[in-house]
Amino acid sequence: MDDRIRRHAEVLVDQCAEVQPGDMVRVVAPPVAEDLVVAVYERLGEIGARPTLSWRGSRAQRAYKLALDPEDASTAEHTLAAIKETDAYIGINGARNVAESSDVSADVMTALRRANKELQDEFRETRWVGTQYPAPGNAQKAGMSTEAYEDFVYRAVDRDWDEQRAFQSQMVEILDDASEVRIVSGDDTDLTMSVEGMIAENDADDNNMPGGEAFTAPVPDSVEGTIHFDQPRMWRGEEILDARLTFEDGDVVEYSASQNEDALEEILETDDGARRIGELGIGMNRGIDQFTYNMLFDEKMGDSIHLALGRAYDENVPEDREPNDSAIHVDLITDMSEDSFIEVDGEVVQRNGTFTFEDGFEAES
């Protein structure tokens, strides 16, 4: 077995999920990721954990969704019960065909997202991590050979995570003390939001592998202005291009896309919370240096920011505040490498992708 797969498994089990002897661990993965599952199970055995495995078949899921009446979508109580008894969850993504569910109706997908919200809420109470196996379908979507994609994935995953965390902590400290954030890029992005009292978090080797971002939540009704998401967003196999959103009092009041605008509309129509922003994330993983149509990696790219339509993460919102609530959490990305800056309380903290605490930073253009 490739040593990089074993190292990947060790990071997932030991650092991300922090599995202890006797823990009940749920592993969910597609068959294409069997090598990583084997390595994860080997490590769980060495620790003395108690795992259970659920294979996730994309063709079977598609068949179910095509046959399902949206009115029949409801919470899977047996899955909910299993999550409640789980100490740690390890989710592994990987696809032979990334567009397998592209012909499933929007009504079914929306109904299932709403039905699964209770599962998502309970799932977040466990120790969990999600990761990517370098499967052929994902390599093809990224426009890379399987071997090149493997190198890309492991370059992003196999890092000095203590060093990465320390690097990101500098941005976390800036966000934690901030009142207002302004994002400017080119001529068509100028967006402000309040983050006063919100809690900034450091995503290194925790819930996502790879990690690589500092993130917080805006005050839901504070987002004002317009943003152009110049990086594509895949949604159920459809590519949304050039999404533009205009906000007033926190709500999306205008939207457009140069391709698949109906998919963007589907996202926004999920529920009331889907028209508000639940997360501001700032990508900081320099090991991710190209766009690959995989949000787990793309949102962590250095020189990028992302905003998530929908649900805010509980860890970003103090107990005395009401978080933005939704059945979705959909990230959209803007490149900040050129003609761009991030301003915090009137001070530029990143210009053209370079942070104030990095060599080469220029406070003024």
Side-chain angles (χ1 to χ4, degrees):
M1 180 180 291
D2 190 326
D3 286 341
R4 297 176 300 179
I5 297 177
R6 294 189 187 279
R7 171 61 182 155
H8 193 175
E10 290 171 0
V11 170
L12 293 173
V13 173
D14 297 351
Q15 294 179 230
C16 300
E18 297 180 329
V19 176
Q20 304 298 315
D23 274 354
M24 289 182 283
V25 182
R26 186 169 186 237
V27 180
V28 179
V32 72
E34 184 177 15
D35 283 352
L36 181 55
V37 172
V38 170
V40 164
Y41 257 59
E42 182 177 52
R43 183 62 188 142
L44 292 173
E46 292 170 349
I47 291 173
R50 293 174 289 170
T52 184
L53 174 62
S54 295
W55 291 114
R56 184 175 59 234
S58 58
R59 291 180 61 203
Q61 289 179 325
R62 172 183 175 272
Y64 172 75
K65 293 169 185 174
L66 288 175
L68 183 68
D69 185 322
E71 294 185 2
D72 292 333
S74 59
T75 302
E77 299 293 343
H78 61 307
T79 303
L80 181 61
I83 295 173
K84 289 180 177 180
E85 296 298 325
T86 296
D87 297 308
Y89 172 97
I90 298 173
I92 301 170
N93 294 321
R96 290 191 174 93
N97 179 2
V98 296
E100 193 67 65
S101 292
S102 60
D103 53 356
V104 176
S105 76
D107 289 345
V108 169
M109 296 302 295
T110 299
L112 285 171
R113 281 191 293 272
R114 290 170 177 163
N116 289 334
K117 185 177 181 301
E118 188 175 358
L119 301 181
Q120 295 170 359
D121 292 343
E122 186 65 36
F123 160 78
R124 294 193 65 80
E125 297 299 317
T126 70
R127 279 172 279 135
W128 65 273
V129 60
T131 195
Q132 176 71 45
Y133 180 78
N138 302 101
Q140 185 177 34
K141 185 60 185 176
M144 303 167 70
S145 68
T146 303
E147 183 177 354
Y149 188 65
E150 288 172 351
D151 292 340
F152 167 81
V153 169
Y154 293 123
R155 186 167 64 248
V157 167
D158 197 4
R159 302 178 66 77
D160 184 333
W161 288 107
D162 290 336
E163 181 180 312
Q164 183 73 31
R165 180 175 292 278
F167 172 61
Q168 294 173 186
S169 69
Q170 299 171 91
M171 192 65 216
V172 172
E173 290 176 9
I174 291 172
L175 291 174
D176 228 12
D177 294 334
S179 294
E180 184 179 84
V181 177
R182 181 186 179 200
I183 299 164
V184 177
S185 182
D187 296 327
D188 47 5
T189 291
D190 192 340
L191 196 75
T192 61
M193 66 190 72
S194 171
V195 294
E196 178 114 31
M198 295 303 190
I199 303 167
E201 292 287 341
N202 192 340
D203 175 22
D205 55 349
D206 301 304
N207 298 135
N208 296 312
M209 182 47 57
E213 66 172 294
F215 66 102
T216 189
V219 177
D221 62 358
S222 72
V223 183
E224 298 280 346
T226 298
I227 185 165
H228 171 210
F229 297 104
D230 53 15
Q231 301 300 298
R233 169 71 207 211
M234 296 301 297
W235 183 253
R236 300 197 302 105
E238 296 183 313
E239 185 175 16
I240 302 171
L241 293 180
D242 294 313
R244 285 176 167 82
L245 302 178
T246 298
F247 293 85
E248 291 181 5
D249 298 326
D251 288 311
V252 175
V253 294
E254 295 181 17
Y255 63 89
S256 66
S258 63
Q259 179 175 298
N260 288 319
E261 186 176 300
D262 57 337
L264 178 61
E265 181 179 24
E266 177 190 328
I267 294 169
L268 293 169
E269 293 300 321
T270 300
D271 49 38
D272 290 342
R275 285 183 172 265
R276 293 195 163 195
I277 296 299
E279 179 197 3
L280 163 65
I282 299 173
M284 301 183 70
N285 187 334
R286 302 290 190 202
I288 302 173
D289 54 6
Q290 66 185 95
F291 187 85
T292 61
Y293 291 92
N294 186 325
M295 192 56 65
L296 180 63
F297 295 85
D298 297 338
E299 69 173 4
K300 314 297 188 337
M301 284 189 299
D303 310 347
S304 73
I305 64 99
H306 57 276
L307 299 177
L309 291 167
R311 185 180 65 256
Y313 293 131
D314 291 342
E315 56 262 41
N316 291 132
V317 184
E319 291 184 1
D320 61 348
R321 298 283 195 92
E322 190 72 26
N324 191 50
D325 192 29
S326 175
I328 64 163
H329 181 96
V330 179
D331 295 297
L332 299 162
I333 300 172
T334 296
D335 179 13
M336 299 292 288
S337 63
E338 296 180 0
D339 195 20
S340 303
F341 64 85
I342 301 172
E343 192 177 82
V344 174
D345 296 333
E347 180 179 350
V348 175
V349 299
Q350 186 204 65
R351 185 177 295 282
N352 298 334
T354 303
F355 294 99
T356 182
F357 42 82
E358 289 185 291
D359 293 340
F361 172 75
E362 296 180 5
E364 297 183 7
S365 59

